[in-house]
Amino acid sequence: MSAYLERMKKKAAGFGGRELLILGIESSCDETACAVLRGTRILSNKIASQIEIHKRFGGVVPEIASRNHVLAIDNLVKEALKEAGAEQEELDAIGVTFGAGLLGALLVGESYAKAFAYALDKPLYAVNHIRGHIAVNYIASPELEPPFVCLIASGGHTAVAYVRAHDEVEIMGSTQDDACGEAFDKVARVLGLPYPGGPQIEKLALSGSPSIALPVPFKGSDTLDFSFSGIKTAVINYVNMLKMKGNVLPAADIAASFQELVTDIMCDRLMRASAARGCDKVVIAGGVGANKCLRAKVAREAERRGIKAFYPPISLCTDNGVMIAAQTLSMIKAGRECADFDLDADADLRIE
């Protein structure tokens, strides 16, 4: 064990039951984000979004994302500390996303966090991005405690997981191809909608009817896995057929039909997983968790079954620093050791 880890182990032993001051740093994709928590209270939450930069390309360009993280991160950390009314020396711990995500983008946040922790001689915690999405629910709903079943739905991940404890997660089902957020983006693109596609599909669907039949993946199966590639391809083929025939494109109906089916599937998997584990709590995590149609379906179905549904406010569904600080707090509570300075980014990090 390095001298640094020895010192940090002693510091962590002194945390006790007091409210810790934690800085969370997130840079896994196209948003640079920093937040400061005092226990479960959000003192600041700063985000530098790159949506307008990447919109012209129809998706995230990794190299451009990395360069913009470099430009934003130092000022953003300073702004987060200032808004929190905290000095950097007062921090108890620093958490940073080290996977999964875009490798170059991850390296920016991780390198900054390592240098920051080294300069301040503070514990550095390596945070799994997806576990951060789950952990933000502990901040949004302080009464929430494991065990529960969680639907993880984002641009790069779709899974249903059994959260047995703060630091123990079991994947019960996952996507076999596209993530749900990825499918939203691709369908939006074929409909001529700008990036990011999820909010655009949701908005357009409000004026449409879910009247177009689309293929149901794993129909008749009791699997908890997901598949969105066939639905996406069916939409693309349907749009191309109408264009070749010169027919009017019912874009709103297509958006409504796609959203209806995808949210039905996600709600179904979440509820069946909950029943399989005998859980009376279900949770939504990830950027697609901001979808109001999905939230309403989960809330209705949970009420019908007599169980509780939890999901963060929409502002904490997409990538943010609060979720990284929240998972850092969970790791500390679980007695996890901090990371050393040989920590490396892992673009393909799994949740388990």
Side-chain angles (χ1 to χ4, degrees):
M1 184 180 291
S2 70
Y4 166 75
L5 283 182
E6 288 283 5
R7 291 196 307 276
M8 296 308 107
K9 192 172 182 179
K10 291 178 181 177
K11 286 189 177 184
F15 285 162
R18 64 186 177 86
E19 288 190 319
L20 301 178
L21 189 67
I22 298 174
L23 171 69
I25 298 175
E26 154 64 21
S27 68
S28 65
C29 191
D30 60 340
E31 288 165 322
T32 316
C34 304
V36 177
L37 295 186
R38 170 76 73 182
T40 58
R41 289 182 294 125
I42 302 172
L43 302 186
S44 65
N45 181 24
K46 308 297 289 185
I47 298 175
S49 176
Q50 298 181 27
I51 286 178
E52 292 304 317
I53 296 171
H54 297 280
K55 188 177 286 185
R56 73 190 76 169
F57 306 108
V60 179
V61 180
E63 177 62 24
I64 294 174
S66 301
R67 290 180 181 182
N68 280 278
H69 285 310
V70 172
L71 294 174
I73 192 165
D74 186 52
N75 283 335
L76 208 64
V77 169
K78 290 174 180 175
E79 289 175 11
L81 287 167
K82 183 178 180 181
E83 186 174 297
E87 297 295 330
Q88 59 188 29
E89 292 78 12
E90 296 178 78
L91 291 170
D92 290 302
I94 298 159
V96 64
T97 304
F98 82 107
L102 303 175
L103 184 58
L106 289 166
L107 286 170
V108 175
E110 186 186 285
S111 298
Y112 185 94
K114 285 196 284 189
F116 204 61
Y118 177 80
L120 296 173
D121 201 37
K122 301 290 183 180
L124 174 68
Y125 287 85
V127 175
N128 183 311
H129 177 86
I130 302 304
R131 290 201 179 202
H133 275 303
I134 298 173
V136 80
N137 282 280
Y138 300 133
I139 305 301
S141 303
E143 72 277 17
L144 175 65
E145 285 291 334
F148 55 80
V149 170
C150 182
L151 170 68
I152 303 156
S154 69
H157 305 270
T158 306
V160 61
Y162 179 51
V163 181
R164 187 174 287 106
H166 279 274
D167 204 39
E168 193 174 346
V169 179
E170 173 196 348
I171 296 296
M172 299 177 68
S174 59
T175 182
Q176 301 303 292
D177 38 62
D178 293 355
C180 56
E182 181 184 2
F184 268 99
D185 284 340
K186 289 177 178 176
V187 168
R189 190 177 304 155
V190 79
L191 293 178
L193 302 173
Y195 170 86
Q200 301 296 329
I201 291 285
E202 182 178 3
K203 183 179 179 181
L204 182 60
L206 292 173
S207 57
S209 169
S211 54
I212 298 168
L214 295 171
V216 179
F218 301 120
K219 190 173 183 178
S221 168
D222 61 356
T223 183
L224 291 175
D225 287 333
F226 303 83
S227 175
F228 299 109
S229 181
I231 306 171
K232 170 204 70 182
T233 301
V235 170
I236 292 172
N237 289 341
Y238 181 69
V239 169
N240 288 338
M241 179 193 70
L242 291 177
K243 287 181 177 178
M244 283 189 294
K245 291 182 176 180
N247 294 344
V248 175
L249 189 68
D253 291 345
I254 295 171
S257 301
F258 172 78
Q259 178 178 258
E260 185 75 9
L261 178 56
V262 169
T263 54
D264 274 350
I265 290 168
M266 290 191 285
C267 183
D268 168 74
R269 301 298 191 269
L270 178 61
M271 294 303 161
R272 288 199 290 111
S274 172
R277 283 292 187 268
C279 272
D280 63 353
K281 290 173 285 189
V282 294
V283 171
I284 301 176
V288 181
N291 183 281
K292 295 184 181 69
C293 180
L294 174 63
R295 292 160 81 100
K297 285 181 180 180
V298 169
R300 285 196 303 268
E301 191 60 25
E303 183 177 10
R304 189 181 73 81
R305 292 170 180 248
I307 61 178
K308 293 182 179 179
F310 297 86
Y311 31 80
I314 290 174
S315 62
L316 294 181
C317 287
T318 52
D319 295 351
N320 60 83
V322 173
M323 68 189 227
I324 305 307
Q327 177 58 13
T328 301
L329 181 60
S330 289
M331 293 169 71
I332 292 171
K333 286 181 177 179
R336 288 277 298 274
E337 288 189 358
C338 65
D340 210 339
F341 294 124
D342 61 356
L343 173 67
D344 199 4
D346 186 348
D348 299 315
L349 182 68
R350 297 174 63 85
I351 188 172
E352 295 179 288

